[in-house]
């Protein structure tokens, strides 16, 4: 990618700042239309919000309750297209709403029937009312006292960071140049004062700085988008009101079976989920306003207690702090709406904003609707840059790894699974597991470095493999061996390897939950 950047002559059509779902989605759309695309990410792809979601590809049941029918319909349609374009990473999942009062079954039954009807041909399966016995069959670890029955409906589940890596590969296959660990430090303006490029620095070397010029600069940095806008114009009003959400991860025994729980009303009125994911149980989320976004957000003690308390209301095996294997925190880039103080009430629709400097910012939205957001963004950016009108082709564009696709469960690597197995068989040592409690082998580290642009131990253990999200203690145990493998691949010195280990342990601390309340 660096060679492609330095050998490029002339101006790019689009320079995209930000390597999360929104930025990578825009890169795929623009490159697949034949535009010249450069994407720069200051950390790793998906380091922020895009790897820290609830792991759901969904229409948003709570948005239906809010009456935001257009957003629900759009998300349900995108959910269906995403399953078709990335079937190795997007799967159906049954969600059960347990009923403890007489009115809940008919009330939620009608609402979820409407939810399924809105999906039309993109539906994942019909909803139905369950008896008490049927509910217990699907949720054997649910609290039984007072249980009357339930309602089941179907939505989508995915591995967010793995999908993002495959999306980055798709963007490259379409002709885009995408780079992680290249930070935009400033903007370039033309004689009329309009943004015409960026100044960027290679974070790995810390010394290589360059200027890239483009017809349109697209700011897709999520909760950090105001910082890029201020580079272009110090007088702009900030548009982001950030909110954070946390998830707690437990072992599989807390949610035995293959169905998820959807709690329609928690103690603060939010929806909460308990879902099976990679052999573990993920419970969340919260919606807590914060003053500013940080790259490594930390969970607040009241958020931890909130999730535990609500999980204890529904799970027969009441989880405690000591049961938490990992905690992860993400930040929502919500767009300000007047004087709204409750971030849960802010819209999840995306916003495209063009400043007087000509900088185009896209923010807000949902993971599920990234493709539609990208289509809208490229349409407007092409008009702004006076580029040719070219139709979007991503509705049926397969994501890397999806084809040829076998029903033989290739896992998160999709059509690359055979190549990963070949890599493991090429060196018997690489076929060894990295840890007894997680299903990862050494060959996957080599694969991540050679073919997925992993540059740090955190890149591997948090986003190429999901070890840090699933079991923080196991990930910390795995780190020294991962460091050895990466050092050999990337020619690290002994001091560089130790530096990497220290950096990973510092980052991993945010995923470790103290066993006692603060």
């Amino acid at each position: 990618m660096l060679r492609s950047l330095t050998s490029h002559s002339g101006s790019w059509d689009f320079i995209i700042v930000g390597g999360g779902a929104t930025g990578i989605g825009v890169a795929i759309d623009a490159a697949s239309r034949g535009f010249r695309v450069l994407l720069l990410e200051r950390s790793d792809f998906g380091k922020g919000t895009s790897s820290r979601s609830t792991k759901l590809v969904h229409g948003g049941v709570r948005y239906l309750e809010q009456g935001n029918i257009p957003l629900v319909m759009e998300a349900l349609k995108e959910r269906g297209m995403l399953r078709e374009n990335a079937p190795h990473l997007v799967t159906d999942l049954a969600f059960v709403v347990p009923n403890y009062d007489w009115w809940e079954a008919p009330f939620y039954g009608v609402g979820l029937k409407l939810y399924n009807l809105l999906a039309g041909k993109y539906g994942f399966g019909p909803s139905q009312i369950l008896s008490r016995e049927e509910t217990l069959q699907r949720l054997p670890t649910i609290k039984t006292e007072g249980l009357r029955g339930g309602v089941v409906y179907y939505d989508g589940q995915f591995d967010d960071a793995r999908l993002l890596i495959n999306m980055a590969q798709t963007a490259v296959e379409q002709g885009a140049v995408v780079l992680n660990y290249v930070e935009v430090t400033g903007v370039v303006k033309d004689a009329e004062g309009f943004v015409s490029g960026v100044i960027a620095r290679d974070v790995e070397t810390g010394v290589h700085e360059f200027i890239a010029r483009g017809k349109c600069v697209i700011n897709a940095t999520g909760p950090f988008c105001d910082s890029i806008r201020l580079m272009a114009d110090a007088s702009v009003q900030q548009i982001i009101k950030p909110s954070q959400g946390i998830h707690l991860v437990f072992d599989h025994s807390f949610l035995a079976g293959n169905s998820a729980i959807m709690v329609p009303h928690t103690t603060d009125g939010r929806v909460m989920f308990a879902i099976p994911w990679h052999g573990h149980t993920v419970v969340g989320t919260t919606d807590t306003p914060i003053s500013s976004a940080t790259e490594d957000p930390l969970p607040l003690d009241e958020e931890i207690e909130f999730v535990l308390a609500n999980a204890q209301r529904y799970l027969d095996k009441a989880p405690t702090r000591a049961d938490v294997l990992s905690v992860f925190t993400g930040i929502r880039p919500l767009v300000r709406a007047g004087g709204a103080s409750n971030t849960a009430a802010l819209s999840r629709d995306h916003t495209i904003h063009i400043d007087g400097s000509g900088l185009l910012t896209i923010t807000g939205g949902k993971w599920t609707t990234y493709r539609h957001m990208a289509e809208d963004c490229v349409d407007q950016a092409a008009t702004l840059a006076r580029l040719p009108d070219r139709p979007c082709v991503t509705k049926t564009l397969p994501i890397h790894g999806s084809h040829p696709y076998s029903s033989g469960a290739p896992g998160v690597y999709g059509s690359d699974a055979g190549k990963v197995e070949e890599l493991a068989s090429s060196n018997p040592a690489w076929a060894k597991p990295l840890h007894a409690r997680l299903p990862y082998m050494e060959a996957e580290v080599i694969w991540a470095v050679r073919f997925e642009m992993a540059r740090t131990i955190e890149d591997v253990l948090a986003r190429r493999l999901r070890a840090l999200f699933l079991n923080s203690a196991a990930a910390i145990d795995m780190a020294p061996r991962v460091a050895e493998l990466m050092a050999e691949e990337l020619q690290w010195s002994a001091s560089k390897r130790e530096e990497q280990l220290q950096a990973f342990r510092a980052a991993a601390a945010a995923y470790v939950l103290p066993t006692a309340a603060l």
Side-chain angles (χ1 to χ4, degrees), residues 472-512:
S472 56
I476 292 169
D477 288 345
M478 293 157 63
R481 179 55 183 154
V482 171
E484 290 176 3
L485 292 165
M486 294 186 73
E488 189 170 342
E489 286 292 308
L490 295 172
Q491 308 294 299
W492 287 347
S493 65
S495 60
K496 171 73 171 178
R497 186 174 71 182
E498 184 58 30
E499 177 187 310
Q500 277 282 317
L501 273 171
Q502 292 301 327
F504 174 74
R505 287 168 182 148
Y511 294 77
V512 179

Side-chain angles (χ1 to χ4, degrees), residues 341-354:
S341 58
N342 179 11
T343 52
L346 292 181
S347 174
R348 266 55 173 176
D349 289 307
H350 71 273
T351 294
I352 294 177
H353 184 87
I354 302 173

